[in-house]
Amino acid sequence: MIRRLVSSMILVPALLTAQSQQEFASRRTAVVSAMPDGALVALGAHEPAQDYLTFVQSPSFYYLTGFKEPDAALIIVKQGGQVVSSTMFVQPRLPSREVWTGSRLGVEGISKLSGMRGRSVEDLPKVLDSLASAGVAMSVVGELGDGGGSGAAALLSASTPDRQIFERLRAAHSGLKVTPFNAAVERARGKKSLTEQRFIRQAVDITVLAQREAMAAIEPGMNEFEIQSLIEYTFRRNGADRPSFSTIVGSGPNSTTLHYNADDRFIEPNDVIVMDIGASYKGYAADVTRTVPASGKFSPQQRAVYEIVRAAQAAAERQAKLGANSGLMTDSSNAVLAAGLSKLGLIESPTATYDCDAGPTPRQCPQYRMYYMHGLGHGIGLEVHDPEQYYLTRKIAPGSAFTIEPGIYVRGRVLEEMPETPRNREIATKLRGAVNTYKNIGVRIEDDYIATESGVEWISRAPREIDEIEAAMRGSYAGPRRRDRSLVEKYKGE
Ligand code: GLY
Ligand code: MN
Ligand code: MN
């Protein structure tokens, strides 16, 4: 018995490593099969320019290699339709540097781990140069700043270190063919393997725990950052790497700001609180939002808005089926939101529009869009907004992993945000009373789903119906001791 235990303790981790290496290898094979003859050049993320910031590997490089150290590269050369070499370029082991960075895998380590040839990243420029001299076309996976755009964003992206590498190469080798190849990797990333699905489920389970902790802890008088820190403590305490995006705890007026993440306001008794949170587990993101009343009980106005958003989400969930057109989720939830907003008097009718610019013949936008400014959902995976196969196929299929997250956000100034036109003034007069009734109520409900051969599964089972949330908020709380408000407020206003 004991002997069996010992041998399995030794064998199991080795087996798991071999399996996951096989998975990384098969991802490379799939991506390279879509590439013409030439070299796949994939570049990892660079060491942060500022000391002491956490290094996070670029998702597509991690997807292909499973390698988490900075400044690495992968080159796969394909000729006559066959792979002729696969090489990982990594930082060599340098004891003097490792005093600061901790131990590196090094050239030997990477070849043992990945089965590919290892070389020092210091050799990368001359290898790229010799490939370019031989006229080998390059398909590049990296931060090329090729996403278009204008203004400051374009200027910034134009100067990425990865892009500079290829600009220099092209300057030295006229006629060199360099093609961005990120889309091929993203296509592959859109369908999650079983291993990836397991990691997403784990990230989601940890996130659900954090939602429950937060619901039990919330009381008026607490600061948003107390809830944020409890959430992030719960993540890390349960083995998450880190939050998969900036934790959003938005109370009262902050509940209506989509990406509010200052998380620094004292919660008042009549607030709702939007908690949009996600743990990252082995690099995989969860993304789960719950909206709760600070008092522990939804007021009639909060309840009315919440019920519409929940009904919109349920309508989308009914369309979330294997083989279904993914656009149906959006269509059905939009219809429920528009009908509900109209019933509350926040819009004139489900199909009513407003002038969304002030030109001579103003463009018309649906009125419900004044309160619902974002899309219904997105893929989740190595990034919180991850590639998803239905973006390309329009069909939900096994391996899809995505969110459904409708919302309604009644900003106090929503009517003043409309362009100044006679028609908009007339709308504002009609809607003002309802906006005053529901202002500062922002509700988002966001859940995560995975599609397998047996169907689409709701995986983020945190309390979600009104009675479930109210029950979770009545639950006793035995978490860390409450903070000292006098300490928190000592330098407020300075
Ligand atoms: N937390 C970001 C999002 O919901 O998309
Ligand atoms: Mn989301
Ligand atoms: Mn979210």
Side-chain angles (χ1 to χ4, degrees):
M1 181 67 187
I2 286 182
R3 195 199 297 243
R4 271 240 294 279
L5 196 64
V6 169
S7 67
S8 68
M9 278 162 61
I10 295 165
L11 285 177
V12 167
L15 191 67
L16 285 180
T17 305
Q19 273 175 350
S20 72
Q21 283 318 317
Q22 205 176 2
E23 172 149 349
F24 290 114
S26 67
R27 293 175 188 175
R28 292 191 291 272
T29 305
V31 166
V32 168
S33 73
M35 183 185 92
D37 273 4
L40 175 82
V41 181
L43 300 171
H46 303 285
E47 189 87 76
Q50 282 164 299
D51 277 352
Y52 315 123
L53 287 183
T54 308
F55 171 74
V56 179
Q57 185 57 280
S58 97
S60 285
F61 190 78
Y62 182 78
Y63 181 81
L64 292 173
T65 65
F67 190 58
K68 288 192 188 157
E69 292 180 20
D71 298 311
L74 164 71
I75 298 186
I76 300 179
V77 178
K78 180 173 169 184
Q79 272 172 10
Q82 302 293 321
V83 169
V84 295
S85 69
S86 299
T87 311
M88 280 288 289
F89 294 80
V90 301
Q91 288 185 359
R93 298 204 61 178
L94 270 183
S96 59
R97 209 188 290 162
E98 289 182 10
V99 168
W100 295 91
T101 62
S103 72
R104 297 289 192 205
L105 203 53
V107 170
E108 304 251 299
I110 189 65
S111 54
K112 255 195 224 124
L113 180 80
S114 68
M116 289 185 276
R117 181 172 176 219
R119 284 185 79 163
S120 165
V121 73
E122 281 148 20
D123 296 341
L124 183 63
K126 68 174 186 249
V127 170
L128 286 174
D129 204 59
S130 82
L131 286 169
S133 301
V136 175
M138 297 184 189
S139 298
V140 178
V141 177
E143 292 291 324
L144 292 177
D146 53 334
S150 59
L155 276 180
L156 274 179
S157 68
S159 62
T160 67
D162 292 359
R163 191 181 177 122
Q164 283 168 13
I165 292 174
F166 293 97
E167 277 170 358
R168 270 198 298 271
L169 269 180
R170 266 209 284 236
H173 304 271
S174 62
L176 174 65
K177 197 160 167 240
V178 176
T179 315
F181 206 57
N182 292 313
V185 186
E186 285 162 15
R187 204 173 313 123
R189 283 172 53 194
K191 183 178 172 78
K192 272 66 185 181
S193 72
L194 292 178
T195 305
E196 293 182 291
Q197 292 175 27
R198 273 199 294 276
F199 295 162
I200 293 171
R201 284 172 192 273
Q202 178 73 356
V204 168
D205 286 349
I206 295 170
T207 306
V208 166
L209 260 184
Q211 286 284 7
R212 286 183 186 281
E213 286 285 313
M215 286 180 200
I218 284 173
E219 272 177 16
M222 294 176 98
N223 195 291
E224 293 164 351
F225 55 56
E226 285 177 77
I227 304 302
Q228 175 200 356
S229 54
L230 175 63
I231 286 164
E232 294 178 3
Y233 167 76
T234 308
F235 286 171
R236 193 65 179 138
R237 193 158 183 237
N238 287 283
D241 320 324
R242 56 176 182 274
S244 56
F245 56 92
S246 283
T247 299
I248 297 171
V249 179
S251 62
N254 299 334
S255 68
T256 66
T257 302
L258 299 182
H259 286 171
Y260 172 78
N261 58 23
D263 294 2
D264 184 2
R265 173 179 177 275
F266 286 99
I267 295 168
E268 296 183 9
N270 294 326
D271 292 345
V272 285
I273 305 156
V274 168
M275 298 185 287
D276 184 349
I277 66 173
S280 163
Y281 184 78
K282 290 195 189 294
Y284 284 81
D287 188 9
V288 181
T289 307
R290 289 292 179 267
T291 303
V292 303
S295 66
K297 199 159 173 45
F298 285 86
S299 71
Q301 294 77 14
Q302 293 167 351
R303 175 182 281 266
V305 177
Y306 193 92
E307 281 173 346
I308 296 167
V309 177
R310 176 66 194 108
Q313 192 194 34
E317 285 176 320
R318 285 193 289 278
Q319 305 299 331
K321 295 197 206 99
L322 282 186
N325 181 328
S326 54
L328 294 176
M329 296 190 286
T330 297
D331 297 345
S332 55
S333 110
N334 286 356
V336 174
L337 290 173
L341 286 165
S342 169
K343 256 201 194 126
L344 298 188
L346 284 163
I347 58 178
E348 292 172 303
S349 76
T351 52
T353 62
Y354 70 102
D355 294 341
C356 44
D357 63 46
T361 47
R363 207 160 47 84
Q364 295 301 296
C365 296
Q367 286 185 8
Y368 76 88
R369 278 288 174 196
M370 300 194 295
Y371 306 97
Y372 174 50
M373 304 77 78
H374 56 78
L376 180 68
H378 52 83
I380 47 173
L382 283 170
E383 291 175 273
V384 64
H385 291 175
D386 212 52
E388 164 50 46
Q389 57 189 347
Y390 72 53
Y391 296 168
L392 303 171
T393 62
R394 316 307 306 164
K395 291 261 179 291
I396 299 171
S400 285
F402 57 93
T403 69
I404 299 180
E405 51 176 306
I408 292 178
Y409 312 92
V410 187
R411 296 175 306 289
R413 294 187 46 78
V414 62
L415 300 172
E416 287 68 43
E417 288 164 10
M418 290 188 291
E420 184 59 39
T421 69
R423 164 82 180 120
N424 286 350
R425 268 196 296 279
E426 174 194 313
I427 295 170
T429 307
K430 278 202 205 155
L431 305 185
R432 175 100 41 219
V435 167
N436 281 338
T437 303
Y438 296 101
K439 72 172 180 235
N440 295 335
I441 298 179
V443 173
R444 176 159 65 257
I445 310 174
E446 175 173 29
D447 280 276
D448 298 345
Y449 307 80
I450 284 185
T452 67
E453 298 291 345
S454 29
V456 175
E457 192 184 337
W458 168 40
I459 60 169
S460 48
R461 294 178 177 250
R464 181 168 69 165
E465 304 308 333
I466 285 181
D467 55 344
E468 293 169 347
I469 290 173
E470 291 181 349
M473 296 186 78
R474 281 194 297 273
S476 64
Y477 178 69
R481 271 196 299 151
R482 300 294 161 89
R483 56 92 188 95
D484 173 351
R485 183 161 177 164
S486 65
L487 186 67
V488 172
E489 293 194 315
K490 199 162 167 193
Y491 297 111
K492 279 260 167 195
E494 281 190 26

